[in-house]
Amino acid sequence: MRLQHRTIPCAIDLSACGLDQIEESDDAFVIGAMTPLSVLESHADFARATNGVFTAAVRDIVGPQFRNLATVGGSLYGRFGFPTCSAPCLPWNARSSSPARAA
């Protein structure tokens, strides 16, 4: 973590946008940006479909309290020295998307 003084002009709280879960359809899993890493670790159907790769990827990250707070979006967006969520996404042709904007 870099220690610096800077002003952030605008912050957006995504916590009430419903992006904190894994949604399953017939042919895909949709993982919200606010989904805690602990959910990636413990979601049974997702773990079964991915052969437990994400469970193994996040299991050793700090501790359960941290994994309950750290999010998938933060892990993908942040520039960390460990490829927590991004590396396991590569073999599954995962893609990042955002919901369509209302006109």
Side-chain angles (χ1 to χ4, degrees):
M1 208 180 211
R2 294 184 197 112
L3 298 176
Q4 56 185 315
H5 297 292
R6 72 176 179 176
T7 302
I8 299 173
C10 179
I12 300 172
D13 182 7
L14 299 175
S15 63
C17 294
L19 299 173
D20 59 347
Q21 57 196 341
I22 298 176
E23 296 177 10
E24 183 178 356
S25 67
D26 292 336
D27 63 343
F29 286 92
V30 177
I31 304 170
M34 295 295 294
T35 302
L37 296 180
S38 61
V39 172
L40 281 185
E41 182 182 21
S42 64
H43 193 281
D45 292 334
F46 183 68
R48 196 170 16 265
T50 59
N51 294 321
V53 170
F54 285 89
T55 301
V58 301
R59 178 184 313 139
D60 294 326
I61 297 173
V62 187
Q65 297 87 354
F66 181 80
R67 291 190 303 269
N68 285 334
L69 296 174
T71 63
V72 172
S75 295
L76 291 174
Y77 183 77
R79 289 175 262 172
F80 303 116
F82 50 91
T84 332
C85 295
S86 56
C89 289
L90 297 175
W92 279 283
N93 195 23
R95 60 189 181 279
S96 174
S97 64
S98 54
R101 293 184 187 177

